[in-house]
Amino acid sequence: MLMNLPMNTGLAQSPEVNLLEKGVSLELAKNRAANIEKITYDLYFNIPENKAQPVEGRLQLQFDYRSKATPLILDFNNDFEKIHTVAVSGKAVYWRYENGHIIIPDTALRLKKNVVQISFEAGNQALNRNDEYLYTLFVPDRASTAFPCFDQPDLKAKYKLHLKIPETWVAVANGRMLEKRFWDGKHYYVFNETKPISTYLFGFVAGKFSTINTYRDGRSMTMYHRETDTAKVAANKKAIFDLHASALTWLEEYTDIPLPFEKFDFVLVPSFQFGGMEHVGAILYKSSSLMLDPLATQNQKLGRASLIAHETAHMWFGDLVTMKWFNDVWLKEVFANFMAAKIVNPNFPDINHQLRFLLAHHPAAYSEDRSGGAHPIQQKLENLKDAGTLYGRIIYQKAPVVMNQLEKIVGKQAFREGLQEYLKEFAYANATWDDLIAILETKSATNLSEWSEAWVKEAGMPNYRVYNTIENGKISALNIKQQVTTASGKFWQQKVLLTLVNDGKVQTIPIMLDGRVTSVKEAIGLKRQDFILINSDGTGYGYFGLDKDSRQYLIKNVHKVQDPVLRGSAWIAIYEEVLRRKIPFDVFMKMLMKAIPEENEPLNSQNLLGYLEEIYWRYYSAKDRLAIADKLEKLLWKIMDAAPGQSAKAAYFKTYLKIAQTEEAITRLKLIWDGDLLMNDMVLSENDYTQIACEIALRNSNLAEDILKKQLERIKNPDRRARLRFVMPALSSKQAERDQFFEMLKDEANRTHEPWVLQALAYLHHPLRAKESEKYLEESLALLEEIQQSGDIFFPKRWLVSVFNGHRSKSAVLIIKQFLEERPGYPYRLKNKILQAADPLFRAAGEELD
Ligand SMILES: [Zn+2]
C-alpha cells in the first residue's frame, strides 16, 4: 500500500491515516513494508554494572528506500529526552518526535541507500536489568523501547552488535562472537552480522554467568547459567545438551534444511518470564525448567524435553520463516508444539505419547474454549502494541490439535512436503497462514480454505451428543448430533475415532463428523454396549457429551478401562460433564478416590491429582472440605509410601502438601521440614523445603513467621532467597501486612519479577484466605490494562488466574461481572482473558454458562 502524503509538513495533518498513532498500526507496518528494504542495524550499547545508571546506545541504520512517498518513521517507544542526536549520512537533520516515533522528512533522504545515525539512551523496560546480569526480551514489540527501529516482524534486518560490559561479565548474542577485548576497564564485544531476522528475535544477554561448552555432531553449543548448586548442574547438563542435539538432528532431517543460523547457544535465566524464548542463536530459558530437581516427576522431564524441542523447532518455524504480522503468531507456536510432540517421542520410548498429547493439549485448550472468552485461533490485530494479548491456550494448545487434523486430512507425507516447500519458498522472509493453506491445498482433495474458516478463523468448540437407540438389546440407531454451529452457521469438520466397549471388548470405528447429524451405520445390530466414547484416541476436539448409559457405566467403572489412552480420554469426557453439572462433584470426588490408588499410568495419575486438587478447593465448602480432608490425606500418604521411586512419589507428595489441612498433616509436614521425619527414597530439594515452609505458613499462624524466616536463612542461592523474601508478606498471617503487600503491587516497579508476583498472588488469594482477599479483586481487575502495557505477554492472563485462584463465592462472581458491566467499551481481548480466567470460578459458583 502506497500513500500520497504532504511533503515536509509531517503526517499528523493527514487525518485519514493512522501512521503516527502510538505503537505500530497495521497501516504503518504496511506502508513501511512497501517502501523500505535491505535493512541493517549496526548497534552499540554501553552497559554499566550499576543498574541505576543508563545504558547508552548508538545506532547506524542502513536501508534502501524504494519510494520516497512518505517521511521516514522509526519507532522509539520511550522519552523524547532519551534521543541525543539524529543524523543522516553524518549530517544533523531536522527531525521530530511524536507518539513514540522519530520522524525524519523525506527531503533529508534519497532513493536507494540511506544511512541514519542516532545516539540515544536505551529504555530499561525490556532490558530486564538485575544486579549481576541483564537480558533483552523484545517480543512482541519491545525492541523499540530499547533502540530506534522498524518494530514489525516483516521488516527483517541484519544486525551487527557491539557491547561494552563490566569486566567480570560475559555476553552472548544472536551472532557468533568475533572479538573480545579489554578497553577502558571494561570488556568490549563484537558480534558477527546476523542473517535477516525480525526485531523481536534480536537479543543479547550480559552478566555473571558460568558457561559450559560441548560438541555434539560436530556442532559447538554453549550453555550459560547462574545455578550455584554444582551437583544440580552436573546432574542436568548431559540431558540438556542431548535433548538439544537430538532436536536439531530431527529438524534438519524433517525439514531437509540444515540449521539456518550460524550458531546455537542458550542461556538459563533465573525467574525468566516464559518457559523459553527462541532468540536466534541464543535461546533463553527459565532456569528451573531445564535444571530439574532430583524430585522431578516424569511429567516435568517430559516438559523439559518438549520445551527444548519447541524452542529449537522455532529456528525453522518462526525464525527462518516468520509471520507477516502478529495476528498469525499462533502459526509459529503451533508448529513449534507440533514439531516438539514429534521430536520428543524417540527420546522417551517408555512414554505413551498419544496419551501425553491428549493430556497436554485438550484439557488446557478446553479451559479457554469452553469459557465466555473463547476466540478464534487467528485474531484480528490492528496495532502491534496489543500483540501480547493474542497469546494463550487457544494458540498453544488448541492449534496443535487442529494442525494434527490438518495433517490427517492432507496425509503425513504430503503434509511434510508442503512444509518443506513453505520453508524454502519463504526462507529468511515472512508468510501468512493463507500462504501455507494455498501450498497444502495443491496436495489435497479437501477444500482446505473452508475447513480453515471454521477451525482457524471462527471462535468456539464443537459440542456433540450421542443418541443411542436400543431395541431388543441391540443398537437400532446410533447418531451423533453436532449441537452448535460456528457464529456464521458452519459445522466443524473432523475425523474422529468412535469406540464401543462391551465386556472389555473394544471396537473402534473411524468417522467423519461434518454435518448436523452423523449416523454410524456400522454400529447397527451390535448388542447393547457398556459405553460409547467419541475421540478415544485424542485426535479430535470438542465437548463429546456422553449418552446416559455410558455415563452411568463410566461413573462406576472408568478406573477399570484397560487402555490408558481410552481411559484418559474417558476421564476428560467425564470432567467436562462435571463442569456442566451432569455429574455431581461429590460423585466425581468418590470416583477419583477409587481411581487414584489403582491408576498405574503416571500421566493419567497426574491428571487425576490435578482434578482432585481443583475439586477439593473449588467445589467443596470450607466445612465439607475439612470433613473429607483426613480421608484424602491418609489416602495420598499411603499411595505415596507404596509408590516405587522418587519421581512416582513426588507427584503424590506434592498433592498431599497442597491439600493438607488437618493438624496431623501439618505436624507431619513440619517434622519433614525439620528433618525429623525422613521419607523412603525421597530427597527433597531446597525448592521443596521452601514450598513446604510456605504451605505451613498459610495454615498455621503460630508457625508462620518463624518457619519463613528460618527458610530464608537456609537458602544459599541469592536469586531464590530474593524470591522468597519478596513472597513472604503475601503469606503473612497479619491482614495488615498482606494489605500493604497488595498496595505495593500497584507500583509497576514492584511487578518486574513476574513469576514472583504470581506466586505471591496465589498465596494472597489462597482458598484458605479467600474471604479476606475478596476485597482485592476489583482493584486487581482495574490494574489489568496497565499490566498489559507494562508486563510481558503471558502476564495479564496469569495475573488473573492467580487472583481468581482461591475464589468460589457468588460475591466474587458478582464483583467480576459488575466490573465488566460498568465498562462496556473495555478492550475486547482483555475481556476475553477475564472470562477465561474466571470460568472455573463461575462454574464452581453455579453460574449457568452453556
Ligand atoms: Zn514458542
Side-chain angles (χ1 to χ4, degrees):
M1 183 165 72
L2 278 167
M3 248 169 261
N4 275 320
L5 293 160
M7 299 279 199
N8 278 339
T9 50
L11 296 157
Q13 287 94 335
S14 189
E16 74 278 11
V17 279
N18 307 319
L19 298 187
L20 281 183
E21 71 177 36
K22 228 180 152 13
V24 178
S25 67
L26 182 56
E27 238 158 320
L28 174 60
K30 283 183 176 170
N31 178 290
R32 288 197 298 215
N35 286 316
I36 295 164
E37 62 185 350
K38 295 183 189 154
I39 307 163
T40 305
Y41 296 95
D42 192 333
L43 279 159
Y44 161 77
F45 293 100
N46 182 1
I47 298 165
E49 184 150 23
N50 181 349
K51 67 181 183 194
Q53 285 171 5
V55 171
E56 294 293 339
R58 277 200 304 269
L59 164 69
Q60 171 143 309
L61 166 69
Q62 276 190 40
F63 64 93
D64 273 20
Y65 237 139
R66 253 187 238 142
S67 133
K68 289 206 307 167
T70 61
L72 183 72
I73 303 172
L74 276 159
D75 310 319
F76 189 54
N77 186 7
N78 219 309
D79 295 331
F80 167 69
E81 296 82 49
K82 291 193 174 165
I83 308 162
H84 305 322
T85 59
V86 178
V88 174
S89 304
K91 285 193 203 115
V93 287
Y94 161 82
W95 60 279
R96 62 193 182 88
Y97 186 76
E98 199 175 312
N99 280 340
H101 301 287
I102 297 172
I103 302 133
I104 301 172
D106 61 337
T107 46
L109 301 158
R110 53 184 185 201
L111 271 178
K112 298 281 166 156
K113 197 175 157 187
N114 285 280
V115 184
V116 174
Q117 291 98 353
I118 301 176
S119 64
F120 58 93
E121 179 191 325
N124 281 330
Q125 193 187 350
L127 296 182
N128 298 284
R129 298 181 71 183
N130 289 274
D131 284 335
E132 295 190 333
Y133 61 96
L134 65 74
Y135 60 93
T136 62
L137 185 57
F138 293 149
V139 67
D141 63 335
R142 305 270 154 93
S144 51
T145 66
F147 64 95
C149 57
F150 306 113
D151 208 355
Q152 63 188 73
D154 61 340
L155 283 180
K156 288 197 171 182
K158 296 175 178 172
Y159 290 82
K160 292 180 196 166
L161 177 67
H162 312 247
L163 292 178
K164 198 169 164 189
I165 61 170
E167 193 196 344
T168 53
W169 289 20
V170 293
V172 54
N174 307 110
R176 167 170 61 86
M177 185 181 77
L178 288 180
E179 195 188 335
K180 178 170 96 172
R181 58 170 190 262
F182 195 63
W183 174 36
D184 202 8
K186 291 194 156 200
H187 266 132
Y188 184 77
Y189 276 71
V190 182
F191 295 96
N192 197 24
E193 183 180 271
T194 66
K195 299 261 194 208
I197 58 174
S198 300
T199 42
Y200 81 93
L201 291 167
F202 166 70
F204 56 86
V205 178
K208 289 185 183 164
F209 283 87
S210 304
T211 60
I212 305 174
N213 181 264
T214 193
Y215 281 85
R216 293 290 151 102
D217 310 320
R219 178 183 285 124
S220 163
M221 277 191 241
T222 303
M223 170 163 76
Y224 294 75
H225 72 91
R226 286 175 53 78
E227 181 53 63
T228 46
D229 181 343
T230 50
K232 199 172 190 178
V233 175
N236 281 288
K237 68 176 181 190
K238 184 173 180 300
I240 295 173
F241 283 121
D242 284 349
L243 289 167
H244 279 102
S246 57
L248 282 168
T249 308
W250 192 96
L251 283 152
E252 290 186 327
E253 148 93 31
Y254 183 89
T255 61
D256 194 31
I257 299 173
L259 174 67
F261 301 99
E262 64 166 353
K263 73 155 177 113
F264 190 83
D265 297 325
F266 45 94
V267 187
L268 277 54
V269 178
S271 297
F272 187 58
Q273 291 91 325
F274 318 151
M277 178 62 210
E278 68 268 21
H279 299 125
V280 166
I283 300 172
L284 302 195
Y285 290 105
K286 184 195 284 176
S287 185
S288 59
S289 304
L290 297 203
M291 291 279 182
L292 300 184
D293 285 335
L295 260 191
T297 59
Q298 198 183 15
N299 234 3
Q300 282 169 306
K301 285 182 188 161
L302 269 169
R304 169 172 74 181
S306 305
L307 172 63
I308 288 173
H310 176 110
E311 301 307 335
T312 307
H314 271 317
M315 297 300 127
W316 287 260
F317 298 97
D319 293 10
L320 175 64
V321 178
T322 311
M323 65 272 169
K324 225 185 191 72
W325 184 239
F326 263 82
N327 66 328
D328 266 336
V329 67
W330 65 278
L331 192 53
K332 77 178 175 71
E333 295 312 323
V334 68
F335 274 135
N337 269 2
F338 182 74
M339 296 298 151
K342 286 182 186 286
I343 292 165
V344 163
N345 298 7
N347 293 332
F348 290 83
D350 301 335
I351 299 281
N352 186 329
H353 296 290
Q354 210 178 2
L355 179 62
R356 179 185 136 64
F357 183 82
L358 172 70
L359 293 174
H361 292 86
H362 294 66
Y366 295 164
S367 77
E368 291 187 354
D369 229 4
R370 75 166 88 86
S371 79
H375 59 75
I377 289 176
Q378 188 185 60
Q379 301 177 78
K380 283 202 170 58
L381 179 70
E382 303 78 21
N383 191 308
L384 211 53
K385 72 178 164 46
D386 302 319
T389 59
L390 299 174
Y391 291 80
R393 290 170 162 183
I394 305 271
I395 284 182
Y396 280 94
Q397 272 90 18
K398 178 182 181 177
V401 182
V402 171
M403 193 59 89
N404 266 353
Q405 277 285 336
L406 183 60
E407 188 189 39
K408 224 169 158 177
I409 293 171
V410 177
K412 264 201 168 87
Q413 189 49 32
F415 187 76
R416 179 175 170 184
E417 283 164 20
L419 288 187
Q420 289 180 349
E421 217 174 295
Y422 162 85
L423 287 173
K424 281 173 189 144
E425 185 170 344
F426 299 102
Y428 304 107
N430 302 75
T432 64
W433 163 247
D434 292 338
D435 290 331
L436 174 65
I437 284 294
I439 290 176
L440 291 175
E441 207 142 32
T442 64
K443 300 179 185 299
S444 164
T446 312
N447 182 340
L448 293 181
S449 311
E450 197 182 299
W451 171 89
S452 153
E453 280 298 317
W455 282 105
V456 173
K457 302 190 176 182
E458 289 206 56
M461 64 199 258
N463 173 338
Y464 304 91
R465 189 145 293 276
V466 176
Y467 292 89
N468 182 16
T469 316
I470 305 287
E471 277 170 38
N472 304 323
K474 286 190 171 166
I475 298 175
S476 62
L478 181 63
N479 293 319
I480 296 156
K481 196 170 158 200
Q482 200 161 161
Q483 318 236 89
V484 291
T485 64
T486 66
S488 73
K490 289 189 189 64
F491 289 107
W492 285 270
Q493 301 171 34
Q494 59 176 327
K495 280 183 176 170
V496 296
L497 210 56
L498 179 76
T499 299
L500 301 103
V501 182
N502 192 33
D503 252 346
K505 226 182 99 223
V506 179
Q507 193 173 342
T508 54
I509 304 171
I511 48 173
M512 180 78 178
L513 299 171
D514 54 3
R516 178 176 296 283
V517 180
T518 306
S519 297
V520 187
K521 301 215 164 47
E522 295 91 326
I524 295 170
L526 292 176
K527 59 180 196 190
R528 183 191 213 117
Q529 301 288 302
D530 289 339
F531 72 95
I532 298 169
L533 187 74
I534 319 174
N535 197 28
S536 50
D537 64 344
T539 55
Y541 186 88
Y543 166 38
F544 299 103
L546 297 167
D547 66 282
K548 223 169 87 196
D549 288 352
S550 299
R551 188 185 302 133
Q552 284 317 316
Y553 179 86
L554 287 171
I555 285 176
K556 289 203 193 80
N557 301 299
V558 58
H559 59 287
K560 292 185 191 152
V561 172
Q562 282 297 311
D563 177 58
V565 181
L566 181 58
R567 194 165 67 243
S569 181
W571 275 109
I572 290 174
I574 289 165
Y575 188 58
E576 292 301 308
E577 303 270 281
V578 175
L579 293 175
R580 290 164 178 83
R581 304 263 167 173
K582 298 215 153 63
I583 297 175
F585 70 86
D586 50 344
V587 170
F588 185 60
M589 182 57 101
K590 284 197 192 105
M591 291 168 67
L592 290 171
M593 288 172 74
K594 196 153 65 174
I596 288 172
E598 308 257 313
E599 183 56 66
N600 53 18
E601 164 54 62
L603 294 168
N604 275 331
S605 289
Q606 199 68 52
N607 189 38
L608 299 187
L609 290 169
Y611 289 152
L612 180 103
E613 226 182 279
E614 171 72 9
I615 295 294
Y616 177 76
W617 287 116
R618 195 81 84 165
Y619 281 76
Y620 280 82
S621 69
K623 197 171 127 245
D624 295 343
R625 204 186 294 139
L626 267 178
I628 59 161
D630 183 55
K631 217 167 157 187
L632 276 184
E633 289 163 2
K634 288 206 163 81
L635 180 80
L636 288 168
W637 189 265
K638 202 173 132 197
I639 312 171
M640 181 191 70
D641 223 26
Q646 174 107 334
S647 158
K649 282 183 190 306
Y652 301 107
F653 179 67
K654 297 221 154 129
T655 309
Y656 179 84
L657 177 62
K658 292 270 184 62
I659 61 126
Q661 274 215 89
T662 66
E663 225 176 289
E664 192 191 326
I666 295 165
T667 310
R668 184 181 261 159
L669 289 172
K670 179 68 168 43
L671 285 171
I672 293 170
W673 186 82
D674 284 330
D676 293 334
L677 175 64
L678 296 176
M679 292 185 295
N680 287 341
D681 0 297
M682 266 240 284
V683 185
L684 297 175
S685 70
E686 192 177 81
N687 277 339
D688 295 318
Y689 282 111
T690 305
Q691 210 189 344
I692 296 172
C694 293
E695 295 291 333
I696 291 176
L698 273 172
R699 289 159 174 82
N700 187 320
S701 53
N702 297 324
L703 294 172
E705 206 170 321
D706 191 52
I707 197 167
L708 291 174
K709 230 170 70 196
K710 286 201 177 125
Q711 183 60 34
L712 193 63
E713 284 163 16
R714 275 192 193 178
I715 299 176
K716 299 279 173 297
N717 179 296
D719 300 318
R720 290 198 280 268
R721 199 183 314 127
R723 181 175 182 149
L724 179 60
R725 192 179 295 121
F726 179 86
V727 168
M728 271 167 65
L731 286 159
S732 171
S733 47
K734 299 184 190 91
Q735 174 87 48
E737 264 180 51
R738 301 205 299 272
D739 289 351
Q740 211 178 0
F741 179 79
F742 181 69
E743 279 305 307
M744 185 203 77
L745 287 183
K746 292 179 188 168
D747 181 353
E748 182 189 332
N750 295 321
R751 297 193 304 260
T752 52
H753 290 96
E754 294 175 358
W756 301 5
V757 173
L758 297 173
Q759 190 188 354
L761 278 174
Y763 288 138
L764 200 67
H765 290 273
H766 191 277
L768 294 168
R769 300 259 164 90
K771 246 193 210 117
E772 296 97 319
S773 61
E774 205 169 284
K775 64 174 180 182
Y776 308 133
L777 285 178
E778 198 186 332
E779 280 182 287
S780 301
L781 285 167
L783 279 169
L784 194 63
E785 280 184 88
E786 187 195 315
I787 279 167
Q788 192 252 310
Q789 293 300 325
S790 64
D792 277 301
I793 53 178
F794 298 113
F795 198 41
K797 166 86 191 292
R798 287 180 180 165
W799 167 274
L800 292 165
V801 168
S802 297
V803 165
F804 298 156
N805 167 51
H807 298 281
R808 54 184 297 280
S809 68
K810 293 256 183 225
S811 45
V813 172
L814 206 64
I815 294 170
I816 298 167
K817 292 203 157 165
Q818 243 165 26
F819 177 86
L820 289 173
E821 266 160 35
E822 284 162 9
R823 293 165 180 77
Y826 197 70
Y828 160 76
R829 280 183 297 266
L830 280 186
K831 181 184 172 187
N832 279 345
K833 299 227 178 286
I834 294 175
L835 293 173
Q836 291 163 7
D839 188 71
L841 156 61
F842 286 1
R843 288 179 190 274
E847 290 293 300
E848 286 302 324
L849 292 164
D850 50 23

